[in-house]
């Protein structure tokens, strides 16, 4: 049996407590995080074997939302929980975007992070607690990771900022900002606002970064006192000779491709044609591994696009940094639906249909 340990800090006058040692002993790392009467169990586990033949890091984040956490019973005939809600899926994405950048780039072991709602007081949003819980579980685990990260929510109330507001405060605010980051940098930003000026958003980000620091320090204390030794892993770093051969073969073709303004479909077509040509020239004749060559190709494309944006101030479709895509909106698209509309932004469209 493990000894339960608890660590606490306060954010904007609201205590947050992270505990470990009581649940999920077999996980690589597990914690509960509590603010008010809202509690989340976060676990992180890594596979012993690497997953070969893939060009990405296989991370799974799953937020398990449960009605009993709020003292409710499912109302369906079978009395079972339904599929994940939109809020649960968005919590998965917020957590994934906060922790994924800090895993080693050459890491290919499966990692699974599970967030389990134990209690909800109806006042404290659980998404921020989920991000912190995932970070704490990874920080004290044996999983290679360059965290920890902290996360906060910022709302504007009576002209000032409130960190980690209640649901009620957020509903009456013209700013709903969610931020995660390390001690020194912001990693993820998600914001909803009602015509808030840029200076206000910048000030809110600064308030969020300041509030994140004690959360990071709390996790660093946990790691120092009871963190596990990080496991070694098989590196999937691409050999430098592969990079040199791909760069040599491209010889400016990538820069030429991204410097010619094209629509999305035309860009994809041109990029795929160049990739196929590269595979025919290098994979089949030089006997390079197809996955490695394709990964290098993708990395070089990202670098070329970013350089054109930062140095030439031009996006791939020819827009400048201050240009927006063409916008249009229509209503009464359907002759039968009570309400219908079509919104287009560039080549992206959203169709809405509603009945009374």
């Amino acid at each position: 049996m493990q000894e339960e340990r608890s660590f606490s800090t306060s954010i904007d006058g609201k205590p947050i407590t992270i505990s470990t040692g009581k649940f999920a002993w077999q996980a690589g790392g597990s914690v509960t995080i509590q603010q008010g009467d809202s509690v989340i169990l976060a676990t992180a586990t890594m596979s012993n074997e690497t997953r070969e033949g893939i060009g990405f890091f296989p991370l799974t984040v799953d937020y398990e939302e449960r009605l009993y956490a709020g003292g409710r019973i499912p109302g369906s005939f079978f009395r079972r929980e339904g599929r994940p809600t939109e809020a649960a899926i968005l919590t998965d994405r917020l957590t994934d975007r906060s922790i994924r950048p800090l895993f080693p780039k050459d890491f290919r072991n499966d990692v699974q992070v599970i967030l389990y709602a134990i209690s909800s007081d109806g006042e404290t949003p659980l998404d921020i607690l989920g991000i912190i819980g995932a970070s704490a579980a990874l920080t004290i685990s044996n999983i290679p990771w360059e965290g920890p990260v902290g996360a906060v929510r910022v709302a504007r109330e009576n002209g000032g900022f409130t960190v980690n507001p209640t649901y009620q405060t957020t509903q009456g605010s013209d700013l709903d900002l969610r931020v995660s980051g390390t001690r020194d940098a912001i990693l993820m930003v998600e914001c909803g606002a009602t015509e808030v000026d840029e200076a206000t958003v910048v000030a809110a980000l600064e308030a969020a970064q300041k509030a994140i620091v004690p959360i990071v320090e709390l996790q660093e204390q946990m790691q120092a006192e009871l963190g596990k030794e990080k496991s070694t892993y098989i590196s999937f770093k691409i050999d430098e000779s592969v990079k040199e051969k791909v760069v040599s073969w491209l010889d400016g073709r990538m820069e030429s491709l991204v410097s010619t303004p094209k629509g999305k479909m035309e860009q994809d077509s041109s990029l795929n044609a160049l990739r196929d040509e590269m595979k025919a020239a290098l994979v089949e004749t030089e006997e390079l591994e197809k996955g490695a060559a394709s990964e290098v190709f993708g990395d070089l494309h990202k670098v070329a696009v970013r350089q054109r944006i930062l140095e030439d101030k031009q996006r791939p479709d020819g827009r400048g940094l201050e240009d927006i895509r063409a916008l249009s909106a229509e209503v009464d698209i359907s002759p039968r639906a009570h309400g219908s509309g079509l919104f287009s932004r560039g080549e992206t469209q959203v169709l809405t249909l509603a009945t009374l």
Side-chain angles (χ1 to χ4, degrees), residues 5 19 95 106 128 141 152 156 177 186 203 229 296 326 347:
R5 297 282 304 278
S19 303
T95 306
D106 57 344
I128 295 301
S141 75
V152 293
R156 188 162 67 165
L177 180 69
I186 290 175
E229 183 179 353
V296 172
E347 298 176 41

Side-chain angles (χ1 to χ4, degrees), residues 15-73:
I16 291 180
T17 300
I18 305 177
S19 303
T20 187
K22 189 170 186 176
F23 299 102
W25 296 340
Q26 297 184 61
S30 68
V31 303
T32 56
I33 177 167
Q34 180 171 356
Q35 180 181 331
D37 285 340
S38 290
V39 183
I40 280 184
L41 168 64
T43 63
T45 305
M46 176 185 72
S47 66
N48 293 324
E49 304 295 330
T50 58
R51 195 195 297 189
E52 298 184 10
I54 58 174
F56 62 93
F57 164 53
L59 170 66
T60 299
V61 178
D62 188 14
Y63 172 55
E64 298 287 340
E65 200 173 39
R66 292 293 181 264
L67 287 174
Y68 61 67
R72 298 166 57 194
I73 299 173

